[in-house]
Amino acid sequence: MIGAVPARDATLAERLRAGRSPRRRAVDRAGRGLALAATLACVVPLAAVLFFVVAKGAGALNLDLLTKPAKALGTGGGALQSWLGTVQMVGLATLIAVPVGIAAGIYVSEFAGHRAARAIRFASDVMVGVPSILVGIFVYVLLVLPFRQFNAFAGSVALAVIIVPVIQRTTEEVLGLVPRELREGSLALGVPSWRTTLSVVLPTARAGVLTGVMLGVARAAGETAPLLFTALGSRLVNIGGFGEPMDSLTLFIYNGARSPIAALNDQAWGAALLLLLLVLGINVSVRLRSMGGVRA
Amino acid sequence: MREDPVEMSVAAPVAAPPEPQREALPTAPSTVPGGAPLSLAPPAAGIPGAAPATVPAAKIEIRDLNLYYGPFRAVRDVSMGIAANQITAIIGPSGCGKSTFLRSINRMHELTRHASMDGQVLLDGVDVYSPEVDAVDLRRFVGMVFQRPNPFPTMSIYDNVVAGLRLGGGARKADLDEVVERCLRAAGLWDEVKDKLRAGGTSLSGGQQQRLCIARALAVDPEVILMDEPASALDPVATLRIEELMLELRGRFTIVIVTHNMQQASRVSDFTAFFSMGEDRAGYLVEMDRTARIFTNPREKLTEDYVSGRFG
């Protein structure tokens, strides 16, 4: 019942002055409230995770954690072997995945036929959704069983398998956003197609491609399951020994959190905060660097 | 690419006589303004309905050209000659295939998915669609300026100008500076940007960006420049500037311009081709003649109706 609206035969001036009905005002308020509540439901868990990691981790994140390896037995020591392992394995995984992912993204966006593009896109989407523990088992069969040895290289490969589809999809999508006029402008100068792609299209989409890489790196840095079957984890500092087991921050957190020893629980919180800062640091530094150069 | 870039003197006055080596036929087109009719290269490459061709030395000759998008024929049976070192305007209502036609000259048409063609496009007598011609090489001789200015956003003004040389592999590092200055001067942009060559190409105004794109096209030293409504996204002042520029380039380059703006065609062009759309929605050439004639005394009733604003 819209009581407040004057009858049709009222003058326009009267109808304008009548204002919004109370009912519409209520619906509007309810709608806004729901949207706000949904937003909070998204933000609150994120904020809570950040809050707990910082609150609980800050105390445990000290110089010892950063600079000392774990002791062979018992508590004490640090997580040196863990963050070194994460940096190495994620680094190698990125080195493997970036060329493959970007090249695949370029292929789908610039050269593949309609059907091939759809098939590859579908495959990538499936890959992004595959539970990471399956990737771990796959690489375990491929690179651990034949050598009868858990090794960090297998860990890197597993992480790379996880990163590639993320980079491929993002690259493909941001290349699709580059205006056709730019490609044509380059081709019309007699620039070959491959050179147009590498020197005009890709640089134009640089920021977006970097975002894809960062998403992939962050995802890889946070993975635990695929490393359980591959790099295994270790209490020893391992630098460059990709043929041997290697630890990672996630494995350190996993083991520490399961431990009945309170000191190890605390160290796990410290490692969690360290992991968070590591990912954040990479993210920020890459973004700052990509902001240099000529801007639109 | 010619040997000596300095040859194309930037400072040359507006009506620089065409260089002899560019002539398709010994008869210089400079005799044309007097009205001496010259036969179009080989056997009257008919302009349909036109009196035996009165076109000067043809740089480009189109024979029985049909252009398709999938099964749809967008341009039907076009035959015409394009005079060397003159400005040829292509006018006609929207959707009549003007741009498609233009893009077939430097083989940009084939970049569109499912596009195809038949017929011939002869550049200095060589069919650009013959197997021995490489489309990438062709585009160095037949440059293009687009409707919307499209400088490369990640490159500076300087890098934009030399992009074609660097990326096309034809760059001799030594004299890029010289190329940049010469082309920016030729495009009438030098004085406005000489102090900020390292600034981004997209930091310029729309009209400046378009002139940058013209400078970029000039840098690879083309002989033909195709312009697809180059001023339609610009304001009147910037438009005027582009038109002046075209007149300055006339005589040194063969220019083909597609335009919606009939006044523009009548202001800048020597020849005008009028396209229309048939029952089958395919564009076709209604008539082509000297611009003055098209706008004052065209042969076809359809042309007269169009240029007098009765349709389109």
Side-chain angles (χ1 to χ4, degrees):
Chain A
M1 181 73 197
I2 315 170
V5 176
R8 266 274 178 200
D9 55 358
T11 67
L12 179 58
E14 281 167 340
R15 291 166 69 191
L16 285 172
R17 282 203 198 94
R20 280 195 302 174
S21 71
R23 194 185 106 99
R24 267 182 46 207
R25 218 168 291 188
V27 169
D28 177 55
R29 207 167 296 162
R32 281 168 191 260
L34 278 175
L36 182 66
T39 309
L40 288 178
C42 289
V43 175
V44 164
L46 178 66
V49 167
L50 285 176
F51 174 79
F52 278 112
V53 169
V54 172
K56 297 225 176 194
L61 183 58
N62 51 38
L63 211 58
D64 278 359
L65 195 75
L66 285 176
T67 56
K68 289 191 178 162
K71 287 198 176 140
L73 288 169
T75 62
L80 178 64
Q81 78 286 356
S82 309
W83 72 260
L84 280 176
T86 288
V87 168
Q88 290 177 83
M89 282 194 287
V90 172
L92 181 62
T94 308
L95 284 182
I96 298 171
V98 163
V100 176
I102 291 182
I106 288 175
Y107 176 74
V108 174
S109 162
E110 308 290 309
F111 301 109
H114 187 65
R115 275 188 196 178
R118 258 194 16 200
I120 298 170
R121 206 171 290 146
F122 178 70
S124 262
D125 285 343
V126 171
M127 279 302 292
V128 170
V130 165
S132 57
I133 196 157
L134 295 187
V135 175
I137 293 171
F138 162 69
V139 176
Y140 171 77
V141 171
L142 200 71
L143 289 173
V144 174
L145 274 188
F147 305 107
R148 308 204 152 277
Q149 165 81 51
F150 289 106
N151 62 83
F153 180 71
S156 292
V157 170
L159 295 181
V161 170
I162 288 166
I163 303 176
V164 165
V166 177
I167 297 181
Q168 187 270 320
R169 289 292 279 133
T170 332
T171 301
E172 179 205 334
E173 263 166 40
V174 295
L175 291 189
L177 296 177
V178 174
R180 210 177 76 162
E181 289 95 30
L182 287 183
R183 291 183 179 82
E184 293 196 335
S186 175
L187 294 172
L189 292 171
V191 176
S193 164
W194 65 271
R195 199 68 211 260
T196 297
T197 301
L198 289 186
S199 300
V200 174
V201 179
L202 200 54
T204 305
R206 184 185 47 188
V209 173
L210 267 171
T211 302
V213 173
M214 290 322 305
L215 279 174
V217 168
R219 167 115 197 255
E223 284 292 349
T224 317
L227 298 179
L228 285 172
F229 301 106
T230 52
L232 185 66
S234 163
R235 300 176 78 91
L236 305 173
V237 171
N238 176 352
I239 296 177
F242 280 94
E244 278 98 52
M246 193 182 272
D247 207 19
S248 81
L249 281 170
T250 49
L251 290 170
F252 185 87
I253 295 165
Y254 174 70
N255 292 322
R258 287 195 314 164
S259 163
I261 303 162
L264 289 182
N265 295 161
D266 288 344
Q267 282 204 325
W269 280 110
L273 180 57
L274 183 60
L275 182 60
L276 197 69
L277 293 175
L278 196 73
V279 172
L280 197 71
I282 296 173
N283 219 319
V284 169
S285 65
V286 169
R287 263 171 211 287
L288 284 180
R289 184 153 303 183
S290 79
M291 286 202 302
V294 184
R295 285 263 113 182
Chain B
M1 202 164 297
R2 280 178 303 131
E3 296 284 27
D4 182 7
V6 189
E7 198 177 347
M8 190 193 89
S9 163
V10 192
V14 172
E19 292 156 57
Q21 70 193 78
R22 288 219 173 135
E23 296 312 311
L25 294 175
T27 337
S30 49
T31 64
V32 166
L38 302 164
S39 283
L40 199 69
I47 296 163
T54 54
V55 182
K59 182 77 179 174
I60 302 167
E61 210 193 309
I62 285 109
R63 289 182 186 163
D64 305 320
L65 183 69
N66 287 287
L67 301 168
Y68 307 85
Y69 292 110
F72 171 66
R73 176 151 70 168
V75 170
R76 184 202 334 135
D77 294 331
V78 171
S79 293
M80 65 188 265
I82 291 169
N85 299 328
Q86 308 267 303
I87 299 178
T88 300
I90 297 170
I91 61 170
S94 296
C96 71
K98 304 183 297 289
S99 292
T100 302
F101 170 73
L102 191 77
R103 291 163 58 87
S104 73
I105 298 176
N106 66 345
R107 293 182 57 175
M108 294 294 280
H109 174 65
E110 68 197 42
L111 297 175
T112 310
R113 203 161 270 184
H114 307 306
S116 62
M117 59 81 66
D118 58 58
Q120 288 183 309
V121 176
L122 305 177
L123 175 62
D124 280 350
V126 177
D127 184 359
V128 303
Y129 283 94
S130 64
E132 69 261 27
V133 174
D134 181 51
V136 172
D137 291 335
L138 169 71
R139 294 183 195 126
R140 287 180 201 162
F141 304 113
V142 185
M144 191 162 199
V145 176
F146 295 81
Q147 181 171 6
R148 279 184 38 212
N150 57 351
F152 303 131
T154 55
M155 296 186 195
S156 67
I157 293 170
Y158 185 102
D159 291 340
N160 260 285
V161 177
V162 297
L165 292 178
R166 276 197 184 138
L167 306 182
R172 285 153 303 156
K173 308 274 176 215
D175 36 39
L176 286 185
D177 289 351
E178 187 274 327
V179 171
V180 168
E181 176 167 353
R182 173 167 56 83
C183 295
L184 285 174
R185 278 191 194 281
L189 193 58
W190 177 252
D191 289 329
E192 292 159 60
V193 302
K194 64 183 174 200
D195 298 322
K196 51 171 182 175
L197 293 174
R198 295 288 159 196
T202 42
S203 68
L204 301 173
S205 73
Q208 289 174 323
Q209 286 188 20
Q210 194 61 302
R211 278 179 280 145
L212 176 60
C213 291
I214 293 174
R216 183 175 74 184
L218 295 179
V220 293
D221 209 10
E223 304 203 0
V224 178
I225 301 176
L226 310 175
M227 298 187 167
D228 191 357
E229 302 185 38
S232 65
L234 306 179
D235 67 65
V237 175
T239 299
L240 184 66
R241 194 71 199 77
I242 298 285
E243 289 179 10
E244 286 168 1
L245 177 55
M246 291 174 64
L247 291 171
E248 282 165 30
L249 297 175
R250 178 181 179 276
R252 284 181 282 147
F253 301 92
T254 302
I255 298 178
V256 186
I257 174 177
V258 163
T259 179
H260 265 300
N261 180 333
M262 281 184 275
Q263 285 74 29
Q264 185 169 62
S266 69
R267 281 191 299 260
V268 300
S269 70
D270 302 286
F271 293 89
T272 297
F274 170 57
F275 277 58
S276 186
M277 208 194 312
E279 296 279 305
D280 53 353
R281 291 180 48 231
Y284 65 101
L285 176 66
V286 177
E287 70 172 296
M288 178 180 187
D289 214 321
R290 286 185 185 290
T291 297
R293 172 130 197 218
I294 289 284
F295 282 93
T296 54
N297 184 23
R299 252 179 296 266
E300 300 288 328
K301 177 81 168 60
L302 197 59
T303 313
E304 189 179 342
D305 287 350
Y306 184 74
V307 298
S308 60
R310 243 165 280 176
F311 85 102

